[in-house]
Amino acid sequence: MTQEEYKIYIDGVIRRVEEARLKVSPHHIVKIVAVSKYVDSEAIKRLYEIGQRAFGENRVQDLRAKTAELEALPLEWHFIGNLQKNKINNLLDIDPFLFQALDSIELAKELQKRLEKRDMTLDTLLQINSAKEETKHGFMPEIAKEAYLQIQEECPNINLKGVMSIGAHTDEKEIIKQSFETTFKIYEELPNATICSMGMSNDFELAIACGSNMVRLGSIMFNR
Ligand SMILES: *Cc1c(COP(=O)(O)O)cnc(C)c1O
């Protein structure tokens, strides 16, 4: 694909997001985070040249390599993957725009300790395992609100901005929808939450219809 063809292709993706959000409300703004975990820095640069600024990675090592390689570009980096305790310092060195996957109280406490030591804060989303899948990380929906409030109370350097969830892993649209509705319901009850991150390449229109205001698009943005 030439760069011109790529731009036309991406315009098509953006149009789909536009149509989905306008069905909710003209005031419902949806942000696209391009998940670049499958591609190299060259591909990120191509998408940047079309106008994309927010990118997401799910491994700290990859995030570190790509932020270094693309240092000259004004990009906004999201960390969307599971964070192991022994990688916290590496993530904080990078100081991402948003950490989307806080998935346990234990991790929150460790993160708070390191943040405090560095005298920094980190914008963060609580990950919710809305479909209650064993293979997924995140808080169970029943305890998510309580955990959110506890972290807000006990971890002042973690700046909670909302929630993130991955839709149910199934082809059944109704089940995926239910998982998004579960996440949105929790989101609505949280004090000062402004970000509801849900929706990926295969289900972003449904996620937006259920209230998502941040979609994490990987394969569809890089045409894979
Ligand atoms: C990989 C990934 C995505 C993007 O997935 P696609 O299906 O390629 O759009 C979104 N969110 C998370 C947490 C991911 O790991």
Side-chain angles (χ1 to χ4, degrees):
M1 227 191 288
T2 65
Q3 186 71 357
E4 191 51 37
E5 285 165 342
Y6 189 34
K7 184 176 184 309
I8 290 164
Y9 170 80
I10 289 296
D11 285 347
V13 178
I14 292 170
R15 197 168 310 120
R16 282 176 62 186
V17 171
E18 275 298 291
E19 278 169 16
R21 77 159 189 93
L22 288 170
K23 276 185 204 157
V24 177
S25 151
H27 307 289
H28 186 71
I29 307 300
V30 174
K31 176 161 175 161
I32 299 175
V33 176
V35 176
S36 48
K37 67 187 184 193
Y38 315 106
V39 301
D40 62 12
S41 294
E42 261 321 296
I44 295 172
K45 208 166 162 209
R46 270 187 92 188
L47 190 51
Y48 162 79
E49 281 161 5
I50 293 172
Q52 181 68 30
R53 293 293 176 270
F55 291 87
E57 287 286 333
N58 70 338
R59 290 161 51 103
V60 176
Q61 306 91 289
D62 295 344
L63 181 65
R64 181 156 63 175
K66 287 170 182 170
T67 49
E69 282 168 16
L70 297 165
E71 200 178 23
L73 304 183
L75 304 181
E76 175 188 305
W77 288 100
H78 295 238
F79 187 67
I80 62 170
N82 175 242
L83 178 62
Q84 289 163 295
K85 278 204 203 145
N86 62 357
K87 299 281 164 57
I88 293 177
N89 279 325
N90 293 336
L91 184 71
L92 297 187
D93 286 342
I94 298 161
D95 191 13
F97 180 82
L98 183 64
F99 170 42
Q100 296 207 14
L102 181 57
D103 63 359
S104 76
I105 295 284
E106 208 189 347
L107 178 63
K109 288 190 171 157
E110 197 57 41
L111 190 55
Q112 168 60 27
K113 250 191 249 167
R114 313 286 179 91
L115 285 166
E116 207 175 312
K117 211 179 228 169
R118 291 168 181 245
D119 194 21
M120 66 186 273
T121 59
L122 182 66
D123 286 355
T124 300
L125 304 182
L126 195 81
Q127 183 172 358
I128 302 176
N129 187 353
S130 295
K132 302 187 177 188
E133 288 161 328
E134 259 175 41
T135 51
K136 273 185 198 145
H137 292 276
F139 288 91
M140 286 297 151
E142 294 80 9
I143 61 160
K145 183 180 177 183
E146 189 189 334
Y148 194 96
L149 298 177
Q150 185 187 344
I151 294 165
Q152 258 183 347
E153 177 83 22
E154 295 176 13
C155 306
N157 297 57
I158 297 176
N159 189 14
L160 282 178
K161 308 275 278 184
V163 297
M164 183 275 263
S165 190
I166 299 172
H169 184 72
T170 168
D171 289 331
E172 281 183 65
K173 201 177 158 187
E174 198 49 42
I175 309 244
I176 302 172
K177 188 171 168 226
Q178 276 170 21
S179 68
F180 289 148
E181 286 170 347
T182 297
T183 306
F184 187 72
K185 206 160 161 259
I186 295 164
Y187 165 71
E188 276 187 312
E189 290 181 3
L190 300 173
N192 306 317
T194 55
I195 301 175
C196 180
S197 172
M198 51 186 198
M200 315 196 333
S201 296
N202 289 325
D203 56 20
F204 68 91
E205 283 147 320
L206 183 57
I208 292 168
C210 295
S212 165
N213 61 14
M214 181 176 282
V215 291
R216 308 177 308 274
L217 304 182
S219 34
I220 200 173
M221 292 302 273
F222 295 98
N223 195 26
R224 290 161 55 103

